[in-house]
Amino acid sequence: MADFAIFGDIVYAPAPGEPVLCKDSWAVCENGVCSGVFPELPDRYAGIDRDVFSGKLIIPGYTDLHLHAPQYRNIGLGMDLQLMQWLEQLTYPEEARFSDSAYADTVYGELADSLKAGSTVRACIFSSRHTPSTVLLMDRLEASGLCSYVGKVNMDCLCADIIREKDHQASLHATYEWLECIEGRYERTRPIITPRFVPCCSRPLMEGLGKLA
């Protein structure tokens, strides 16, 4: 990971509730970590790559702890619907499309580009239940340079047939296969066990996922 320094009006919080503004200062990043903020760039960083954003506000990146990647193209739709209506009418049909790897790769490419262009630099992300598409999502995120946790969604009951897994054993088996497929594959993208939510996960599935976690 390349080291660099950026110049501008830097805002950060060394502790919760203690924001600091450093006008016309340098923030230095070494090995992916901010190593300090300086009014003048120290001599030891004389050869470092630099970007200057005079008069611009520079803030730490955001972390999104709950992001559903397959819902990217549903942003802003169905705002008049209750949750279950929204899931059944819009979300589940859209997520079912991620059985098509080509479609998944297109949408996940759009998502990764959107995140990279914005202020979110770390995220905890739900994929769909489809293993190949989940791997594609992780590939796209890794290539973007963002840091993320990604989960293949598990759901084996009380949801639409188009999105439900056959049973808890099939769900657990698919999760094992996914974990084996991506083991050692990434530097910044990590797997996370991801039951959809309680209504869509049977007790045997939750117990199995708990043991796997």
Side-chain angles (χ1 to χ4, degrees):
M1 203 174 284
D3 297 342
F4 63 90
I6 53 176
F7 178 87
D9 297 335
I10 299 167
V11 175
Y12 70 102
E18 299 180 8
V20 174
L21 169 62
C22 301
K23 289 185 65 64
D24 298 327
S25 296
W26 292 93
V28 177
C29 181
E30 296 182 277
N31 297 316
V33 176
C34 183
S35 56
V37 176
F38 310 95
E40 299 290 340
L41 196 62
D43 291 341
R44 64 182 181 275
Y45 299 121
I48 200 170
D49 289 341
R50 308 178 191 189
D51 287 302
V52 176
F53 301 98
S54 299
K56 303 295 185 180
L57 201 61
I58 298 171
I59 64 174
Y62 291 115
T63 298
D64 190 333
L65 295 178
H66 189 114
L67 192 162
H68 286 264
Q71 297 174 17
Y72 179 70
R73 287 190 172 178
N74 279 1
I75 292 175
L77 301 181
M79 301 299 289
D80 58 327
L81 300 176
Q82 296 295 317
L83 174 60
M84 294 310 298
Q85 293 175 316
W86 180 77
L87 287 170
E88 292 168 0
Q89 295 178 28
L90 295 174
T91 301
Y92 289 160
E94 174 64 10
E95 288 193 20
R97 298 186 68 182
F98 286 79
S99 61
D100 179 350
S101 294
Y103 180 75
D105 194 40
T106 298
V107 176
Y108 290 156
E110 294 172 359
L111 170 65
D113 289 344
S114 179
L115 289 173
K116 187 174 181 179
S119 55
T120 298
V121 297
R122 288 172 171 80
C124 185
I125 302 178
F126 292 68
S127 180
S128 64
R129 70 173 181 84
H130 309 98
T131 295
S133 295
T134 302
V135 175
L136 286 171
L137 172 60
M138 299 178 80
D139 289 345
R140 286 289 192 167
L141 290 167
E142 180 74 11
S144 75
L146 303 171
C147 296
S148 62
Y149 284 90
V150 174
K152 187 207 83 65
V153 163
N154 300 94
M155 48 197 310
D156 68 336
C157 64
L158 299 179
C159 59
D161 290 345
I162 56 173
I163 203 69
R164 183 174 62 244
E165 295 175 288
K166 181 180 178 181
D167 53 35
H168 77 277
Q169 292 176 328
S171 183
L172 290 170
H173 179 70
T175 303
Y176 283 116
E177 285 192 329
W178 162 63
L179 291 172
E180 290 178 351
C181 176
I182 56 92
E183 184 175 4
R185 185 164 175 157
Y186 309 108
E187 293 183 10
R188 293 176 293 273
T189 311
R190 299 181 181 181
I192 187 169
I193 303 303
T194 308
R196 177 60 176 262
F197 63 159
V198 171
C200 291
C201 296
S202 66
R203 181 176 293 274
L205 176 56
M206 291 297 288
E207 290 174 347
L209 292 173
K211 292 176 182 177
L212 180 57

